[in-house]
Amino acid sequence: MTSGVVPKSVPQVVGVYGGGRMGGGIAHAFVAVGSAVVVVENDEASAEAARERIEASLAKAVAKGERIAGAFDVVTDAGALAGCALVVEAVPELVDLKHDVLRRIAAAAPDAVIGSNTSSLSIDALADALPDPSRLVGLHFFNPVPVSSLVEVVVGRRTAPALVEAARGWVAGLGRTPITVQDSPGFASSRLGVALALEAMRLLEEGVASAADIDTAMTLGYRHPVGPLRTTDLVGLDVRLHIAEHLERELGPRFAPPRVLRDKVAAGELGRKTGQGFYRW
Ligand SMILES: NC(=O)c1ccc[n+]([C@@H]2O[C@H](COP(=O)([O-])OP(=O)(O)OC[C@H]3O[C@@H](n4cnc5c(N)ncnc54)[C@H](O)[C@@H]3O)[C@@H](O)[C@H]2O)c1
């Protein structure tokens, strides 16, 4: 693996635990700037799928004229993480699975900083699995990672302050912009994005304006690249319903999902992926 061109602010050897949609993208981001990336997958079949996913993603970047400075390997043995300065976990959003994976990472790479790409779980709750909870920080990348420029750096109550600064530097080294957010439900991005979308849905169900006109209010009025209802179609209405229910539980009734969202999800109108959401696709 080549690593001579790694920017100072990005670790030379990085682990990614779980090479799915997000983990594959995170691996891509570090490989692009020259890190040697070790991806850990569950079994040989998932490892092969991850390998193909990352290779395809890097090939696409190369075809666009981007330079790829590093290299990656996909393994099924977490022991290969020894020597990583940073390990980012991106396994599915299940607290018990994440606890188990965090313990494995800490055992294999006791000195590594551990990043979690969780989109909704509490960093404090995840840190409970670790012998040293100060080494965990949230690194919330956005989908699709190769073309998203934001990373939320999520700070738990026990996260070491020096680690937050390091994480911000690494994100900048990836050519992304970090924002620092204290651990709280929905962090900043999901909470704000969902709040806007829920209010747009209430406008729609009260008959104040059409979906297209509500979206245009935001795209032309506030220069959002995509309106809140179209964004919901792209993300998936089921995904947003799930987040709204979580935020309602954690933050109260202002996040209660509007009727129109529940009805559409029940009817299988989940957005672009099913051909119908607030728009026909
Ligand atoms: N998809 C998104 O838009 C998005 C955006 C931001 C954050 N996230 C978060 O990123 C994380 C991963 O989501 P995703 O969409 O990439 O999921 P995914 O299902 O695409 O990928 C998960 C990967 O983890 C692997 N895996 C499962 N169990 C494992 C184990 N025990 N050991 C090793 N690998 C294992 C799977 O084989 C799979 O490749 C979740 O916490 C999710 O909330 C997702």
Side-chain angles (χ1 to χ4, degrees):
M1 290 184 178
T2 52
S3 53
V5 286
V6 178
K8 264 210 174 64
S9 56
V10 176
Q12 304 262 336
V13 188
V14 173
V16 176
Y17 211 112
R21 190 204 300 226
M22 295 304 292
I26 294 165
H28 174 148
F30 280 99
V31 171
V33 298
S35 298
V37 178
V38 181
V39 179
V40 180
E41 261 295 346
N42 219 1
D43 49 46
E44 217 16 79
S46 313
E48 190 48 37
R51 228 170 261 130
E52 285 172 12
R53 193 176 299 118
I54 299 166
E55 268 162 16
S57 166
L58 291 171
K60 210 165 144 188
V62 169
K64 284 197 282 183
E66 290 170 31
R67 202 170 110 68
I68 302 298
F72 75 96
D73 198 6
V74 185
V75 300
T76 53
D77 174 12
L81 296 173
C84 289
L86 166 69
V87 181
V88 183
E89 75 74 19
V91 295
E93 194 78 342
L94 301 164
V95 71
D96 290 345
L97 173 63
K98 293 220 190 251
H99 275 170
D100 179 54
V101 160
L102 289 171
R103 276 191 286 266
R104 283 170 198 268
I105 295 171
D111 297 328
V113 169
I114 306 178
S116 172
N117 188 49
T118 181
S119 42
S120 67
L121 299 171
S122 146
I123 294 301
D124 289 334
L126 291 178
D128 287 341
L130 291 171
D132 179 1
S134 74
R135 306 197 67 78
L136 183 70
V137 65
L139 287 179
H140 184 210
F141 287 81
F142 286 71
N143 182 32
V145 180
V147 298
S148 298
S149 48
L150 175 67
V151 179
E152 276 183 304
V153 175
V154 185
V155 185
R157 269 187 298 113
R158 291 164 292 182
T159 304
L163 200 151
V164 177
E165 277 322 297
R168 289 181 56 90
W170 297 335
V171 169
L174 293 176
R176 267 81 172 167
T177 300
I179 60 170
T180 305
V181 181
Q182 302 303 312
D183 188 22
S184 67
F187 309 141
S189 57
S190 297
R191 185 162 151 186
L192 271 176
V194 168
L196 179 63
L198 296 181
E199 203 54 39
M201 291 172 209
R202 290 185 197 107
L203 283 172
L204 182 71
E205 91 189 346
E206 289 165 21
V208 175
S210 68
D213 284 354
I214 291 166
D215 277 348
T216 302
M218 289 294 109
T219 53
L220 297 186
Y222 286 83
R223 300 196 195 183
H224 290 193
V226 184
L229 296 172
R230 186 172 290 274
T231 300
T232 301
D233 271 12
L234 295 172
V235 171
L237 275 67
D238 51 335
V239 175
R240 285 216 139 161
L241 174 60
H242 188 73
I243 300 172
E245 286 172 339
H246 169 67
L247 293 178
E248 181 190 18
R249 273 193 306 275
E250 299 288 332
L251 299 172
R254 69 188 192 277
F255 285 98
R259 183 86 257 154
V260 64
L261 180 60
R262 288 195 182 286
D263 288 350
K264 281 186 173 290
V265 171
E269 296 179 9
L270 306 183
R272 183 171 64 171
K273 62 189 168 191
T274 62
Q276 178 69 51
F278 292 103
Y279 296 87
R280 177 166 293 284
W281 291 83

